[in-house]
Every structure is written in structure tokens, then in C-alpha cells.
Amino acid sequence: MAPFPAAHQLNSPAPQECHPLIGLPWFRHPAAQHEIRLSKAVVSYEIKRARRRSIGMVVGVEGLSVRAPKWVSPQDIESALRAKERWICTKLVEQRERAHKQMAARIEWREGAVVPWMGEQLVIVLDARVQGAELGKAPAAGEPALPGVATRVLHVGLPEQAEPEQIRDAVQSWLQREALAHFVARVEHFAPQLDVQVRQVKLSTAKTRWGSASVDGTIRLHWRLVHFSASVIDYVVAHELAHLREMNHSPRFWEVVRSVMPEFDAARDHLRHAVIPD
């Protein structure tokens, strides 16, 4: 989702793993059998022989994997990789950057941990006297707030000795309840404006989609959207409701979205770069 610079020189701000002999950035697939220097990087990659007619390349979380017919020589594979050098290096940078961002966004489930919620930062406080989880009072009007500093407290009904998994489950259950209530309210806000009928709003845990819309009027929205600001959530809600009018991504579809959210571009761009805290 996130566009990264087409910088095959690998000017990435993230920490680089360097090759011990050459001293250049090193991208290693755990099942690598071969190694090649592409631009200013060393790439260790795996080759899988397959029944196919051409050479295929996949850059995933683990690194570069090549699918090639049995009759293709290693030299032919290297030539194919050099022809795709810019694309490969860009994708490798993208995956490494995303991995570092994902690590930075990980939540350490303990008292005092900070969880993003609706554009704010919540600090977790364990309190066995609380039933479930309970949001603390909002700051008073005019009270100064520092960017990135938690200003709300989520009281979680667990003892101080609670295990991280218990804290995670309690907080995420609360987040999911909050998400559904907010999503339903925003669907009820936008649906009349778009003149669409919504039969049901459900939470989603899909791995590749923020939301979906079915022809029967069912809207599914990923519960982790609750980590983002209200404008980002509104964009996804409007997007899925617009699909009840246009089940495509044609210019007409985007006109429908823009009719209720004229400045959705910033929210869409935010999602393209988003890393989900976990």
C-alpha cells in the first residue's frame, strides 16, 4: 500500500544490515541459495524450480524469491534480475522500511503502555475495581496537549500482575466495541446522504482490506480502523457505502465518494502509509 522512493541506491533511513565482506546493504532471504550484487546492495535470494514458461520474481517480507523453469540456467536468472534491478531494490527497501515501522508500532502490553485510538493516545492503567475497561475523562477545554503525548486514560479491570495476553485481550475487546459503535454511527450519518440502504454493519479482521460492501447491503469495516483519526474512518465508511451505488472503482465511483467527502485524498494517502499497531 505504501509507495516508497524508487531509490535503488537504497538511501533508506532505516537501519541497514550490511554484508560482512562487501560492506553494502544486504537483503537476505532465509532460504537463499544464490547471491547477486544489484546496484549498491547485495541480494541473497532463493530459486524455486517450477513448471512455468518464464522467470517470476516475488519480493516479500522474507526477501527475494525467484520462480524459474527447470531448463533456465543460473546465468539467465541473473540476467533477468539485472533487468529488473530497479524494481527489485525498490521493493526490498519497501519491505525493510515496513518491517521497521511495524516493529516500532508494536505495543508492549503492560500498565503504562500507549494505544492509539481515534487520533488520540490512550495510556493503559490496570485497576481491578473496574469492570471490563473504562475510558477516563477527556481533558478540560483549553487544557494544553503535547503532540504524541497520551492525554486519555483507559482503566482496565485487571490486577497489576496480569499477563500481557490478558491486557491485550481486554483492551482489544474494548476497542472492538468502540469501533462498532462508531462505525454504525458514521454509516447512519452517510447512508442517507448517498441514498443507500444498509442492512448490517459488521466488524472485519481481513488481512488485506479495510472494508467491503455486499450487494445485500452488508458493510464490513476492519476494527483496527479505530486506531486512526475520525477523518480516516469517515473515508473508509464513505468508500464502502459508495460501493452500494457503484460496485467498481470507476470515475463515477470516486464522484460518489467525493460527494460526501470532498477532501478524501489525505485520508486515502494516510491509509496507504499506515502501519497497524499490534
Side-chain angles (χ1 to χ4, degrees), residues 206-272:
K207 294 185 180 297
T208 58
R209 289 183 170 191
W210 291 115
S212 63
S214 302
V215 292
D216 67 356
T218 298
I219 300 294
R220 290 177 174 81
L221 299 164
H222 203 299
W223 72 266
R224 287 190 178 276
L225 285 166
V226 79
H227 289 305
F228 304 130
S229 66
S231 62
V232 171
I233 296 172
D234 277 356
Y235 161 66
V236 180
V237 171
H239 184 116
E240 299 311 328
L241 291 177
H243 277 310
L244 298 181
R245 294 259 303 268
E246 295 286 339
M247 282 291 185
N248 51 57
H249 286 104
S250 66
R252 286 188 302 178
F253 166 81
W254 293 110
E255 288 174 10
V256 174
V257 177
R258 204 174 292 279
S259 71
V260 292
M261 198 173 180
E263 299 179 357
F264 68 78
D265 302 87
R268 181 173 61 177
D269 188 59
H270 181 86
L271 279 180
R272 285 174 175 166

Side-chain angles (χ1 to χ4, degrees), residues 128-177:
R129 298 168 298 177
V130 173
Q131 290 291 326
E134 186 178 291
L135 186 64
K137 293 182 180 179
E143 185 175 322
L146 297 175
V149 176
T151 56
R152 302 292 296 274
V153 173
L154 181 66
H155 300 276
V156 181
L158 290 170
E160 293 181 4
Q161 302 78 17
E163 295 294 326
E165 294 77 12
Q166 292 176 286
I167 301 171
R168 179 199 62 202
D169 292 348
V171 173
Q172 290 187 350
S173 292
W174 181 84
L175 288 171
Q176 289 176 21
R177 292 193 298 272

Side-chain angles (χ1 to χ4, degrees), residues 26-47:
W26 190 16
F27 296 88
R28 293 186 298 168
H29 192 289
Q33 316 104 325
H34 302 269
E35 192 166 278
I36 188 172
R37 178 170 173 176
L38 296 177
S39 187
K40 296 182 180 179
V42 178
V43 180
S44 299
Y45 60 97
E46 72 162 348
I47 296 178

